[in-house]
Amino acid sequence: MTVIRNIARDRVLQITAALAVISLFFAKPKLADINFSTLWSILAMMTIIQIFEHLHILDYFAYRLTTKAENTRQLTWLFLGLAVVAGMFLTNDVTVITLVPLYLRIAKKYELPEVLPVTLIGMAANFGSAFTPFGNTHNIFLMNHYQIAGLRFFSWSIPLLLASLLLLFGFSLFVKKQPIPAVPFRDIRIQARPTIVTCIVALIIFAGVFHVLPSWVGAIAAIILAFALAPKIMGDVDYAIVLTFAGFFVIVSVLQQIPWVVNLVSGLMTSEHSVFLTSIISSQFISNVPSTVLIGKFTTMAPALFLGSNIGGLGTVIGSMNNLLVYKEYMNFGNHKNGKFFLDFFGLNVIGLIILTGLGWLILDFVY
């Protein structure tokens, strides 16, 4: 019942389901437009993420790094580094849900700055997740939709990561150096054998994303492992994102059968730069995941769509689900100046979006 309640409460799924039902009045969706390989990969990733959560992997590394910080800027750098790496493998959402509350608990206890470091942690999680094919759900979609080889994908993501890290480092220099006391000792231990097995299953999932194995193999392996470790893990899996993606496929299947929609979107797909800018701008209003699924049906310019959809995660609060989670976590654990945080968070994200869009334009012209 808890699983069903969690699915029913998911606002993004509610909106997607409503739009999917409305779309059925315009046309009948085609089964061939449902990318089941993507759905299997997302289910696999959501399951393995909950297993890592169960094993407290991220908590362990967050605590170990925190004990090494001597001032606020150094603490911010450590959190940003962990957020980037964690985003690559555990997705930006899980990274934010874990690291933002942890940082805010430390910040409130020692009266450290909150707004800039929390905003940067959210950005770092976005940048890290953009680097790998399995770091976020729209990258999984791109890999399956365009049948992208691993080396080709990383030839796109490495320049974006370098540009993103440059931006992140520049912003971090505005964090004032403020001494912090030693963090109290916590005995957080990693269970070696379950962690090793989980890493092996994660590699199977990654093999599915890279088309080495069928994507359903990784999903089944993750589910079996979850039941073997603790059946309750399956109750915490984010099934809503899987159903949401299924809804996206239904909506897009219908939209590409409506002539005026086809003409409108197709008219914007005239060049790599137009695909790049369209994906960034549309992400600000409908989020980068549905934007990627929609635009992906109308263009073969995968590098431009990859670049635009990942940069488009910056900007408005709805630019990506990650942004919404950062805001939600701040409301729950921050200093309760939600209006100020919202304005500062939005302002920093817009500045970051403008700078990274400019760098992305150069990458598109001179690197890809």
Side-chain angles (χ1 to χ4, degrees), residues 127-359:
F127 298 155
S129 66
F131 178 68
T132 59
F134 34 77
N136 52 43
T137 47
H138 61 270
N139 278 358
I140 292 175
F141 166 75
L142 290 172
M143 288 289 289
N144 285 298
H145 182 66
Y146 292 108
Q147 293 293 297
I148 303 168
L151 289 177
R152 187 180 177 213
F153 180 90
F154 285 115
S155 73
W156 302 342
S157 67
I158 289 174
L160 176 59
L161 179 65
L162 294 176
S164 300
L165 292 178
L166 182 65
L167 173 68
L168 203 60
F169 178 74
F171 273 144
S172 71
L173 295 178
F174 289 94
V175 178
K176 295 180 180 179
K177 289 184 178 181
Q178 176 182 334
I180 55 175
V183 177
F185 175 76
R186 290 175 62 195
D187 188 18
I188 302 176
R189 299 182 182 181
I190 292 179
Q191 303 174 57
R193 187 175 298 176
T195 300
I196 292 172
V197 174
T198 302
C199 289
I200 293 172
V201 172
L203 290 175
I204 295 173
I205 294 171
F206 299 162
V209 174
F210 285 114
H211 318 300
V212 177
L213 293 173
S215 53
W216 59 265
V217 173
I220 298 301
I223 292 170
I224 291 173
L225 177 60
F227 275 111
L229 290 174
K232 70 180 184 67
I233 292 174
M234 292 306 300
D236 296 326
V237 173
D238 189 1
Y239 300 103
I241 188 65
V242 183
L243 295 174
T244 298
F245 247 84
F248 289 158
F249 289 137
V250 169
I251 294 168
V252 171
S253 179
V254 170
L255 288 177
Q256 62 186 2
Q257 298 178 60
I258 302 175
W260 70 267
V261 173
V262 173
N263 292 334
L264 174 64
V265 180
S266 298
L268 297 171
M269 303 292 105
T270 56
S271 68
E272 286 190 331
H273 291 96
S274 64
V275 172
F276 172 67
L277 291 177
T278 300
S279 60
I280 289 176
I281 294 170
S282 60
S283 294
Q284 305 308 304
F285 300 98
I286 62 173
S287 190
N288 56 359
V289 173
S291 168
T292 305
V293 176
L294 176 60
I295 295 174
K297 295 292 184 178
F298 293 91
T299 182
T300 58
M301 302 175 192
L305 180 54
F306 161 80
L307 200 58
S309 62
N310 282 293
I311 292 176
L314 295 175
T316 65
V317 177
I318 60 173
S320 74
M321 180 63 67
N322 177 67
N323 293 349
L324 285 171
L325 288 173
V326 172
Y327 183 64
K328 178 182 176 183
E329 294 302 314
Y330 187 84
M331 286 193 296
N332 291 335
F333 299 97
N335 205 25
H336 301 297
K337 297 176 181 177
N338 297 334
K340 182 181 186 308
F341 176 77
F342 178 83
L343 291 175
D344 291 346
F345 177 80
F346 175 69
L348 287 167
N349 262 276
V350 169
I351 294 171
L353 176 64
I354 293 170
I355 294 173
L356 205 54
T357 297
L359 293 174

Side-chain angles (χ1 to χ4, degrees), residues 34-161:
I34 310 298
N35 194 321
F36 288 100
S37 182
T38 297
L39 297 180
W40 277 116
S41 293
I42 294 173
L43 176 60
M45 285 303 301
M46 294 303 104
T47 304
I48 203 71
I49 284 165
Q50 288 305 319
I51 295 174
F52 277 117
E53 282 274 282
H54 174 75
L55 297 173
H56 301 291
I57 303 297
L58 199 52
D59 291 331
Y60 173 83
F61 286 106
Y63 168 72
R64 292 297 177 188
L65 289 178
T66 302
T67 59
K68 299 180 182 299
E70 297 179 357
N71 58 63
T72 49
R73 186 181 294 175
Q74 197 175 80
L75 180 66
T76 300
W77 282 342
L78 291 172
F79 265 86
L80 296 184
L82 182 58
V84 169
V85 176
M88 293 177 183
F89 302 99
L90 300 178
T91 76
N92 48 10
D93 295 351
V94 170
T95 301
V96 161
I97 290 172
T98 304
L99 295 187
V100 169
L102 177 61
Y103 177 82
L104 286 172
R105 282 196 291 269
I106 297 170
K108 289 175 74 173
K109 185 172 183 178
Y110 302 116
E111 298 182 352
L112 306 180
E114 294 183 0
V115 176
L116 181 55
V118 167
T119 301
L120 295 183
I121 290 170
M123 287 185 180
N126 260 336
F127 298 155
S129 66
F131 178 68
T132 59
F134 34 77
N136 52 43
T137 47
H138 61 270
N139 278 358
I140 292 175
F141 166 75
L142 290 172
M143 288 289 289
N144 285 298
H145 182 66
Y146 292 108
Q147 293 293 297
I148 303 168
L151 289 177
R152 187 180 177 213
F153 180 90
F154 285 115
S155 73
W156 302 342
S157 67
I158 289 174
L160 176 59
L161 179 65

